[in-house]
Amino acid sequence: MFSKLLIANRGEIACRVIRTARDLGIRTVAVFSDADAGAMHVALADEAVHIGPAPAAESYLDQQAILAAAARSGAVAIHPGYGFLSENAEFAEACAASGITFVGPPADAMRAMGAKDAAKRLMEAAGVPVVPGYHGEAQDPGLLGREAERIGYPVLIKAVAGGGGRGMRRVDSADEFQTALAAAQREAKAAFGDDRVLVERYLAKPRHIEIQIFADSHGNVVHLFERDCTIQRRHQKVIEEAPAPGMPPAMRERMGEAAVRAAKAVGYVGAGTVEFIADAEGGLSEDGFFFIEMNTRLQVEHPVTEMITGLDLVEWQLRVAAGDRLPLQQAALTITGHALEARLYAENPAGGKFLPSTGQLRQLRLPAGDVGHVRVDTGVRPGDAVSMFYDPMIAKLIVHGADRDQARYRLRAALEAVRVAGPVTNAGFLRAIVDHPAFAAADLDTGFIDRHLEALLPQSGAASDDKLLALAATGVLCARKTSARKQADASGDPYSPWDATSGWRLNGIGRETLGFLLAGTLREVGVIHAPGGMRLVLPSCEDAHGVQVSGSLDDGELVAEIDGQRLTAGFDVSEGRVTVMLAGDAFVIALHDPMQAAELEEGGTGDVTAPMPGKLVSVRIAKGDSVRKGDPLAVLEAMKMEHTLIAPADGVIAAVHYAQGDQVEEGVTIIAFEAAE
Ligand code: ADP
């Protein structure tokens, strides 16, 4: 086995690999960019080497810097994790040339599977079913259009070099084809430096089912069953599970065999995933699955396979890379129970936009130990920041159960235990998926999220407003008490009435009003500091005496007793806003301040601002143009995805402040807009 392993990655996967390496007695070396100097993966590793500035292209993708780090630290092997250099054949070769073992497949196998079109041709030849379509080399737009016509709409345009759903467009009719083609090519060029595409039939009720395979360098290949990754948003996986619900055993066997055949066809070694799309129209069937691509690395969702097989796939990767035989033969592999994984992201689901939400994780509590059968894979700790430079994933929550229902309940409990203050997360959205009756019934296809979006997005539930306000008010009062106590301690007179926060008066009862802005509306909570304790008069409270409350706040944990009901929530105050974290949701409520309120009311000029930092890839309008509500004005590329900025109303373009190719900061006005009267 290797004496020292360098992990050419960051975040949760770097931490995950380090843990197994440590279990095996292998010393570990982390690499880090400027942005990650204090990151968790750096702290976990035995050693760490700085490799460059924050942008990935200048650090985690810099092959020379990584090889130099390996040489400096004496690492004899490199684990690439997923993303970054994990599927880069050139890098695998550069490792070999430096006498370092690349923990992954041979460069040739990566190349053979690297381009989706060539891989499809190869798979067809190996007798693996592929989606009907065009995967030729010629790229003339006219020809592609005619091919789409031949295949029959709807079709899917895919970047040949694609990954992560980028450079992919579904097209429903011929008149949309050329526009969609141009967008897919542009996105592909930006993300992969390669704008070639393929066109294939878009299946009506597609389910994404993939097979985990493993091969050693002695010619043994096994499969570790399937994962169902059908719950996707914009072709990116959101929730994964194993085994696939409703999978007929005969189909599992056929798919497993096809995946093993695919691996053998390219002389594969190591961990790989053969992705298929299954046509779920009329249920899963033995002959209703098609190869879409092979990922020549460890997948984000590998833990669900580990949960049902009881194996450690990173351990297998390291053993295979060290030249060992596969630890088990096919006949010895079995499935136990059911596993689910949810990807917790720093992103805001509001309005179905899912904009990345970066910033410091002022509070972060992930389920661990206190919720049964949960595994949390993360690369961040409380106080760390989610930066705009990398994938905004906070953690993966993985659960195991005796059956799917049990796993589902456990995942819900795990999601409800999540508390994050700072960036907005998708925890509530994930919970809504897990709770949805169609998900419970395993009525799945890749259109699930779009179809049920309305029901899955956070609702501003008026019914719970009072509870929220009561918690917010109790939290504010507790926080105030804590800070007053600190001040009093510092002033040397702990009994000074001037530092007291009990609405202290010489005579009678103290009263005050706390103002909160909830969904843009001012809501007032009356506070009565009476001799018998504190009472709150909530907006819907009919009794002027209010309800009895008490509470304590310790390290962000608020325990409140409101009218005899005991509630526990996470609580955080920052920059005039409180965050109440309750059952996986985080409610951000602004504290009402008359000075701020005046400012808040001004807004709404209708100008088009950057919803996040990014690069303008196209500007379609000019000063003086008249536009209709919803017209596309410009395209912003951020986090490697394209976001179309649209006209907020009918009107005229008053000014265009940035040009194509410009980098813009979050919140800047890109287009000044005058709405029509
Ligand atoms: P990427 O490499 O960008 O992830 P994939 O080829 O793996 O692209 O496809 C990603 C997802 O897109 C699939 O999981 C599936 O949801 C959807 N998809 C791919 N091909 C088809 C198809 N022919 N019809 C319908 N959906 C598809």
Side-chain angles (χ1 to χ4, degrees), residues 116 120 131 156 158 162-166 168 192 200-204 206 208 229-230 232 235-237 275-277 292-293 295 446:
K116 288 187 206 275
K120 281 192 174 145
V131 188
L156 194 62
K158 277 187 192 178
R166 297 193 296 262
M168 197 184 285
F192 316 108
E200 63 188 29
R201 179 180 303 154
Y202 189 88
L203 302 184
H208 175 117
C229 314
T230 296
Q232 306 181 343
H235 305 300
Q236 298 195 45
K237 297 161 188 168
E275 296 192 329
F276 295 96
I277 186 149
I292 47 175
E293 67 164 341
N295 289 323
T446 57

Side-chain angles (χ1 to χ4, degrees), residues 134-267:
Y134 170 79
H135 18 88
E137 284 178 16
Q139 294 286 307
D140 168 56
L143 169 87
L144 294 174
R146 285 192 298 282
E147 285 294 331
E149 212 56 66
R150 179 183 62 82
I151 296 161
Y153 287 98
V155 298
L156 194 62
I157 303 175
K158 277 187 192 178
V160 161
R166 297 193 296 262
M168 197 184 285
R169 286 285 187 289
R170 173 191 161 147
V171 192
D172 292 319
S173 66
D175 50 332
E176 295 165 25
F177 186 82
Q178 293 301 335
T179 319
L181 176 63
Q185 286 171 330
R186 204 164 47 230
E187 205 168 290
K189 181 91 193 163
F192 316 108
D194 178 347
D195 64 3
R196 288 174 304 145
V197 297
L198 60 85
V199 185
E200 63 188 29
R201 179 180 303 154
Y202 189 88
L203 302 184
K205 202 169 187 300
R207 263 175 74 175
H208 175 117
I209 301 180
E210 59 187 33
I211 304 281
Q212 173 72 53
I213 63 101
F214 240 103
D216 64 22
S217 51
H218 306 276
N220 302 303
V221 188
V222 297
H223 70 84
L224 276 62
F225 316 108
E226 78 279 6
R227 290 185 288 258
D228 190 319
C229 314
T230 296
I231 301 296
Q232 306 181 343
R233 198 180 65 77
R234 297 181 70 176
H235 305 300
Q236 298 195 45
K237 297 161 188 168
V238 176
I239 289 185
E240 301 100 343
E241 58 187 303
M247 179 77 144
M251 181 177 180
R252 173 173 298 134
E253 203 164 304
R254 280 264 288 263
M255 286 184 86
E257 281 166 12
V260 167
R261 226 171 21 246
K264 285 187 171 157
V266 294

Side-chain angles (χ1 to χ4, degrees), residues 1 5 13 16-17 19-21 23-24 79-81 103-104 210-215 222-227 242 269-273 295 297-322 326-328 333-334 341 375 377 396:
M1 189 41 79
L5 175 74
I13 193 62
R16 154 82 191 85
V17 173
R19 290 217 165 84
T20 290
D23 273 359
L24 298 175
H79 193 301
V103 181
E210 59 187 33
I211 304 281
Q212 173 72 53
I213 63 101
F214 240 103
V222 297
H223 70 84
L224 276 62
F225 316 108
E226 78 279 6
R227 290 185 288 258
V269 178
T273 297
N295 289 323
R297 54 168 162 84
L298 192 68
Q299 302 268 96
V300 175
E301 61 275 20
H302 75 276
V304 291
T305 299
E306 296 187 321
M307 294 292 239
I308 60 157
T309 58
L311 302 171
D312 179 334
L313 299 197
V314 173
E315 179 185 340
W316 276 41
Q317 281 191 297
L318 293 170
R319 290 200 184 288
V320 165
L326 289 179
L328 295 172
L333 295 163
T334 50
E341 174 182 276
R375 161 174 164 185
D377 282 15
K396 303 186 308 206

